[in-house]
Amino acid sequence: MLKELFTKSKKKKYATIPSERDKHDVPEGIMTKCPKCKKIMYTKELMKNEKVCLHCGHHHTMTAYERIGSLFEQDSFTEFNADMVSVNPLDFPDYMEKVEKDRKKTNINEAVVTGIGKINGYQTAVAIMDASFRMGSMGSVVGEKITRAIEKAGELKIPFIIFTASGGARMQEGVLSLMQMAKTSAALKMFSDEGGLFISIMTHPTTGGVSASFASLGDINLAEPGALIGFAGRRIIEQTIREELPEDFQTSEFLMKHGQLDAVISRLEMKDKLTTILKLHVPGGEER
């Protein structure tokens, strides 16, 4: 009897490490950890909540097609110029291999998806940048697709909406990439002269040449909460001006406070807010 009690007291109480077999019993991707609050939640619940954290409201990155699904009426979206692909004008080493890798990873051919669809009955042309493809960098194809989307909006006399998410110009295409800043801006000027409505919605991150061109030219400039928006990096600016910048510098909230945005809108409210804006600007307030 005493021997049995002694044996029991010697048993250690600790959590066992799952075996390789146990690990495979848990489906990959079933849980997601928020990078901001570090809370863990079911991925399905996060997706139902438009990829907005259920605990702290952090806006997780959305792909272009996820955003299309959250905004547009079912079966109303028609994509165009989906087959446009980049070339390698400067013969930049490994550029085509990296582009091809991103195509397979994201199932899109370039860092922006363009098309036409309906948001609660209102037809709009749209360009949605996808940061999962080359960090949303703007090359010649990205600029061309956005320009064509603007021209299509002008042709159909409908509003144009863009969701930006970019690390800036694509260095592998050199000056051809930088030229897209002027080309898209010129297209927007002609669209504006024709009375077109342009709504720019900046998401995390919107930086470099994209922030310095079409992203900042909206008749209405909006942003998602906590998005990084700016041209040069924080460290470069601090070294240049020799001053320490505020902690919230280059965030949506900072820009809103300093008059560079019209509103910071949660993704959960974006569809309703856009519907209101479209209703106010469509002649007669009628659905189209």
Side-chain angles (χ1 to χ4, degrees):
M1 183 69 179
L2 288 173
K3 185 177 180 180
E4 289 178 9
L5 289 172
F6 181 76
T7 303
K8 288 179 181 179
S9 68
K10 293 286 286 183
K11 289 183 178 178
K12 295 181 180 180
K13 296 180 180 180
Y14 54 84
T16 58
I17 300 173
S19 65
E20 288 300 316
R21 181 179 177 182
D22 293 333
K23 288 179 182 179
H24 290 306
D25 290 339
V26 180
E28 187 177 352
I30 195 170
M31 306 295 288
T32 299
K33 183 178 181 179
C34 177
K36 185 176 180 181
C37 69
K38 310 304 180 184
K39 297 284 182 66
I40 297 174
M41 67 208 89
Y42 284 108
T43 302
K44 283 186 177 180
E45 294 299 318
L46 180 65
M47 297 299 290
K48 285 180 183 177
N49 204 45
E50 306 288 359
K51 298 186 80 172
V52 176
C53 179
L54 303 165
H55 304 284
C56 69
H58 174 72
H59 284 49
H60 292 244
T61 302
M62 257 189 166
T63 66
Y65 288 129
E66 285 172 344
R67 201 174 290 279
I68 288 167
S70 74
L71 281 175
F72 292 94
E73 296 173 17
Q74 190 173 4
D75 301 324
S76 75
F77 184 79
T78 302
E79 185 177 353
F80 46 72
N81 298 316
D83 295 330
M84 291 183 66
V85 294
S86 295
V87 294
N88 194 0
L90 304 181
D91 291 326
F92 200 94
D94 300 325
Y95 178 40
M96 287 292 92
E97 288 80 357
K98 290 177 180 178
V99 168
E100 183 59 32
K101 184 179 178 180
D102 276 7
R103 284 186 194 134
K104 291 178 180 178
K105 180 182 72 174
T106 62
N107 292 319
I108 56 177
N109 283 327
E110 256 300 341
V112 67
V113 174
T114 57
I116 295 173
K118 286 188 175 182
I119 300 176
N120 285 333
Y122 296 97
Q123 190 177 45
T124 67
V126 68
I128 301 176
M129 303 189 77
D130 194 325
S132 62
F133 191 105
R134 296 284 87 207
M135 197 50 220
S137 55
M138 179 176 61
S140 53
V141 171
V142 170
E144 181 65 21
K145 289 183 71 172
I146 291 172
T147 299
R148 292 189 186 190
I150 297 166
E151 291 172 347
K152 178 62 74 171
E155 176 188 326
L156 298 176
K157 307 297 182 186
I158 59 176
F160 174 64
I161 299 174
I162 190 164
F163 286 84
T164 60
S166 177
R170 192 173 298 179
M171 67 175 186
Q172 293 92 341
E173 296 184 24
V175 71
L176 293 176
S177 175
L178 297 177
M179 285 169 58
Q180 308 311 311
M181 297 172 64
K183 182 167 71 177
T184 52
S185 298
L188 284 168
K189 177 62 168 65
M190 289 187 284
F191 181 64
S192 177
D193 290 344
E194 295 168 359
L197 171 65
F198 170 38
I199 303 172
S200 177
I201 303 163
M202 290 167 256
T203 71
H204 180 80
T206 296
T207 60
V210 169
S211 72
S213 55
F214 54 82
S216 304
L217 297 177
D219 298 302
I220 299 173
N221 290 318
L222 309 174
E224 288 186 338
L228 171 65
I229 303 168
F231 182 65
R234 179 191 188 95
R235 187 172 59 181
I236 293 173
I237 296 173
E238 287 184 331
Q239 290 175 349
T240 302
I241 66 175
R242 301 182 184 280
E243 289 182 19
E244 187 175 340
L245 295 167
E247 188 176 341
D248 63 346
F249 181 69
Q250 291 185 324
T251 63
S252 304
E253 292 74 16
F254 183 89
L255 268 64
M256 178 67 188
K257 186 165 59 177
H258 290 80
Q260 292 180 270
L261 291 173
D262 294 299
V264 176
I265 300 176
S266 168
R267 191 180 294 159
L268 301 174
E269 301 175 352
M270 188 65 72
K271 187 172 183 178
D272 289 339
K273 297 295 185 183
L274 286 176
T275 301
T276 300
I277 293 170
L278 293 171
K279 184 177 181 179
L280 290 171
H281 287 84
V282 170
E286 298 176 358
E287 293 187 1
R288 301 179 68 173

